[in-house]
Amino acid sequence: MRSSNSSVSKGHRGRPGYSREDIIRAAVREFTNHGYEATSMGRVAKNLGITKSALYHHVNSKEEILELSVKKALDALETVVERAVADESPARDRLRLLVRRSVKVLCDDPASVALLLRLRGNSEAELEAVARRRQLTRQTVAIIAQAQYEKSIRHDFNQVLLGRMVYGLVNSVADWYRVDGRFSPDEVAEAVEAMLFEGMSV
Amino acid sequence: MRSSNSSVSKGHRGRPGYSREDIIRAAVREFTNHGYEATSMGRVAKNLGITKSALYHHVNSKEEILELSVKKALDALETVVERAVADESPARDRLRLLVRRSVKVLCDDPASVALLLRLRGNSEAELEAVARRRQLTRQTVAIIAQAQYEKSIRHDFNQVLLGRMVYGLVNSVADWYRVDGRFSPDEVAEAVEAMLFEGMSV
């Protein structure tokens, strides 16, 4: 987690050695492991080996960490979906790219996406994030409906149900993917895309 | 949520009108909506329109509700997996049945399964549940490996990765399925099975 040049490049508010982004990542990992509600800022500081007041040099509150982290995940996912919406290729191709790129966003920062997926709308900021998340689903369901209309994907299931399953499988990666684990982002993205489009059967 | 004959059949400890099972279901729904940590027994009682002491006639603690609910989900899922293990048909057929039946268990009580999936091993009982959950995955991965060996499912992806995806899609149903919603359990089970084995492509 230590980034060697972070205190020079962006950690001007904090202790040398940890950038603001390092702090946020570490906190989000704690939220993932023990739950957002159950994680105190004291615990985050302790895990980083810094004092609570050093932690507050970097961030203003636990809520701020949640918001920044979720915003980052949403920004990245929205970029993916907007590209798929704007593209002019057949809907099925756009959907395949959307799936592949979304999985890569997820593998890059699974903890932030996991946090996003668990939001329940308990605050103004959470409600806004939930609304943005729903918009992603709506846009994706529209591409699915278009692909069904183009007869390039099965139409024996309702587009909303297909959308649930597409995001069900894509998002599930956030629950188990380890950035330093045995599977590369490309490998997982390829596998999820293959499962959703071709399935397991030979 | 009211079951008309529950006070006669099994509600001997409690207030007429609510069975122990009604109480547990209502509490688990609160856990799902607001998080286990954030839900107090006072809130559960208020939502049921009973006093806290009436609530404690039915159950001893919040932990007990969690344990009973998760145990019920695990018992049902284990029955499904054990049948698939014991069956003598080809591995791919057993895997299809396992998927279909697991989704039905999930649609029957999505909140309990969602609770099970979010356990982090914060207590002895949670650790035991997590161990049982892992055992389900291991047994399923063994069936997947067997189906790959029988060349009836694709073997270009590692069996562990396939296992992650099978449970990723199956379990995702717990996050969105509504018992009184627009999709029947059979419809969802069929769709999940079709996606995992044939995919969306036509």
Side-chain angles (χ1 to χ4, degrees), chain A residues 36 39-40 45-46 57 62 64 66 68 77-78 90 92 95 105 108 111 115 125 129 137 139 153-154 156 158 162 168:
Chain A
Y36 174 72
T39 303
S40 66
K46 200 177 156 196
H57 276 285
K62 199 167 91 165
E64 192 193 34
L66 180 78
L68 287 170
L77 292 169
E78 281 175 358
R92 189 185 121 150
L95 188 58
V105 164
D108 180 53
L115 207 54
T137 306
Q139 290 172 299
I153 63 169
R154 63 195 305 158
D156 51 346
N158 177 290
L162 286 181

Side-chain angles (χ1 to χ4, degrees), chain A residues 33 120 154 196 198 200, chain B residues 33 120 154 196 198 200:
Chain A
N33 292 338
R120 294 187 177 85
R154 63 195 305 158
L196 285 174
E198 279 79 50
M200 275 193 292
Chain B
N33 292 338
R120 293 187 177 86
R154 63 195 305 158
L196 286 175
E198 279 80 49
M200 274 192 293

Side-chain angles (χ1 to χ4, degrees), chain B residues 16-191:
Chain B
Y18 284 121
S19 71
R20 187 168 148 94
E21 192 166 329
D22 290 338
I23 299 279
I24 291 171
R25 280 208 180 231
V28 170
R29 215 173 35 230
E30 282 299 294
F31 299 163
T32 307
N33 292 338
H34 306 286
Y36 174 72
E37 306 289 346
T39 304
S40 67
M41 289 292 267
R43 182 179 209 152
V44 173
K46 200 177 157 198
N47 267 25
L48 284 162
I50 61 176
T51 63
K52 228 167 127 175
S53 82
L55 179 59
Y56 281 111
H57 276 285
H58 291 280
V59 288
N60 295 316
S61 65
K62 198 166 94 166
E63 291 69 31
E64 192 193 35
I65 297 176
L66 180 78
E67 286 174 33
L68 287 170
S69 161
V70 158
K71 186 185 175 303
K72 189 176 152 240
L74 276 167
D75 287 348
L77 291 170
E78 280 176 357
T79 301
V80 167
V81 173
E82 275 155 21
R83 279 176 73 183
V85 169
D87 197 308
E88 290 181 359
S89 45
R92 188 184 122 150
D93 298 346
R94 292 187 284 136
L95 188 59
R96 291 193 85 116
L97 270 176
L98 184 157
V99 164
R100 181 178 282 255
R101 287 174 179 151
S102 296
V103 173
K104 285 193 195 169
V105 165
L106 241 138
C107 289
D108 180 54
D109 186 3
S112 291
V113 180
L115 206 55
L116 168 66
L117 297 172
R118 290 205 181 103
L119 290 186
R120 293 187 177 86
N122 287 335
S123 69
E124 200 60 42
E126 288 193 22
L127 283 170
E128 195 197 313
V130 169
R132 287 175 67 185
R133 201 179 71 196
R134 291 214 174 108
Q135 173 67 1
L136 292 176
T137 306
R138 267 194 298 273
Q139 289 172 298
T140 306
V141 168
I143 298 175
I144 289 172
Q146 178 65 24
Q148 288 183 316
Y149 177 79
E150 291 171 7
K151 299 200 192 307
S152 59
I153 63 168
R154 63 195 305 158
H155 48 273
D156 52 346
F157 297 115
N158 176 291
Q159 71 267 27
V160 172
L161 185 52
L162 288 181
R164 294 283 195 194
M165 293 194 288
V166 167
Y167 274 113
L169 185 53
V170 168
N171 290 338
S172 70
V173 173
D175 284 332
W176 63 266
Y177 190 75
R178 298 285 163 271
V179 174
D180 52 1
R182 64 194 282 194
F183 302 113
S184 73
D186 274 326
E187 199 173 356
V188 177
E190 199 191 316

